[in-house]
Every structure is written in C-alpha cells, then in structure tokens.
Amino acid sequence: MHAVIAEDISKSYDGIQALRGVTFRVKKGEVFGLLGPNGAGKTTLTAILTTLLKADSGYAEVAGFSVEEKLKVRERIGVVFQEPALDTKLTARENLEFHAMLYGMPKKEREEKIEKGLELVGLRNWADTLVEKFSGGMKRRLEMARAFIHRPEVLFLDEPTLGLDVQTRRNIWKYIRKLRDEGVTVFMTTHYIEEAEKLCDTVAIMDRGKIVKIGRVEDLKRGLGEDTIYVEFFGKVMEEELNTLRELDGVKEVLASDTTVMILTSNGDRIIPQLFSVLSEGRVKAVRMKTPDLEDVFVRLTGRRIAD
C-alpha cells in the first residue's frame, strides 16, 4: 500500500517550470526523503501534496484520497513548514490545545495527546512557558508535536532542521524515528546529505524540477562503486588531464566541476599514487578519498554539487 502517490506532476510560475512531470510513490510507514538543492522544486511539490497549491497537470493522492479532496486529505496529514507558524503569545500547551480543538478532539483525548506530544519532543518541563521565550530548536520541536497531535497518517516536514545547530538537528532526527516506529509515514524535504542518509528509507534525488533518481539509500550509493576520489587542482581542470585520468587502470568514471575532479574507482588506494605520476608537478592542490555518499550520487547524476 502507498501513502503518497504522484503521477506526472507539473507546475509553472510566470512561464518558469518549477516541476517537470514528477512521478513517485511513498510506501506506508517509511521515511521518504526528497533530496535536492534550494530551488529544485521540493517546497512546491510539498505544497501541492498538502493541498495548499494546485498543480497545472498530473495526479496526486495522499492517504488514499486525491489532493482535490482537500478536507479529507487535511484531516489525515500533519505539516511542519520551513517558516514557523506558532502563536508566540501562547504557551506550548496552549498552542497544542488550540490545534487539537480545531480537529474536534474531545477534552480527555486532547489532554492525553498533549501530554504525549510534549513528552515525545522533550518539552514537558516547558509546557506552560510562553513560546516567545523558546529557542529556534524548541520551536521546531513544538511544531512537530503540534503536527502529530491529531495522529496523522502522513507527516510532511519541509526542511525540518533548516538553520538548527548540530545537536538540535540530531534531537529532531530522534523524534522523527520515534514517529516512524509508531507507524507514521514521514515525507520530508532536505538539502542536507547526512540527514537524508541517517533518516530516510527511500530517497528521491531532485534537481531543476525533476526527480533524477529514486531508491533505497544503500542501493543508490552501491551503484557508484566502492571509492570516490576528489582531486582539487590549482586552476581550472584541463581536458587533457581528464583524459589522462580516464586511462588509469581501475578508474570507472571521471567527472569534472571547474577546479575539482571526482574519480569513481573500485581501488582508491592504488589509484592515488598514480595521480601524482601522471599529472604535471604543481597542478594538484589536494586529494581526498571516501566511500560513496548521496552527495556523490547527486554529482554523478547532475554534474554538480547540491551546494552549487
């Protein structure tokens, strides 16, 4: 069974295509990550799936209902947007109380769910503190508790840890895992490589309005080979240097981006010494090797880094 279905979704703004025929499916109970740089179309797609924006064409379904049935979809989802949407003049408990009342929850059930939500995100001791006194991380955690208070089938998180410090980010990851363990399907967007690798069961790599690859995280990385070598040059990489590297025994693929070359190989330890013998003296600024991650997958598929 699938919690989210998107088929050939397209959307344009003033003649500029934000989404170009996006198609994918999200299984129930998994953490699905949409990974890509700012401007890739992730937020636009999330807005369509959460019924806040209408697609120009295509079909989308969430929790078994077409996104055209807005009320039915909204009853079954929770959403945490990039921008905070809390009432800072209310306490944490009052924010959750107000949200639960909007969903028509009986008083006893509201009280139970609010206590559970505050406990889940580690804010029980701040339940009666005004939100205006909260740090950015505390506000983010409260927004997650609010989005979960009515027990949604699908939780949408748009860049859930954007701008947070490392420790707070890892705490948010812990809460997301707890929600998944409770059977909630989590659909999240991110441009953080580590976040996608640590949290997501399935990742869709998105660039310039299109999904260029989708799969389980380990399968995506395994497709690159065992090692990735980055060679940073003094000055722009020349074509003859790329050709020289491609001819080295054991090199699977060579990709260039301005002053940096990415080499895919099954034997990095053997390749590195050869680099210095075949390249001109004084050309190599730095060399580093690592096992493949989703950043390498993105570079191979798009020819550029997410940060670019």
Side-chain angles (χ1 to χ4, degrees), residues 109-127:
E109 183 181 358
R110 287 203 308 269
E111 292 173 350
E112 292 175 354
K113 291 291 180 66
I114 288 170
E115 289 304 315
K116 180 178 179 180
L118 290 169
E119 183 70 31
L120 177 70
V121 299
L123 291 176
R124 194 169 187 176
N125 292 337
W126 291 271

Side-chain angles (χ1 to χ4, degrees), residues 4 6 9-11 13 18-19 22-24 32 34 40-51 53 55 60 67 156 187 189 204 206 209 211:
V4 180
I9 300 293
S10 294
K11 180 67 179 179
Y13 298 100
L19 297 175
V22 173
T23 297
F24 63 89
F32 181 94
L34 203 57
K42 304 189 302 295
T43 297
T44 296
L45 180 57
T46 302
I48 290 172
L49 295 176
T50 55
T51 76
L53 191 65
V67 293
F156 288 89
F187 179 102
T189 72
M206 194 168 189
I211 289 181

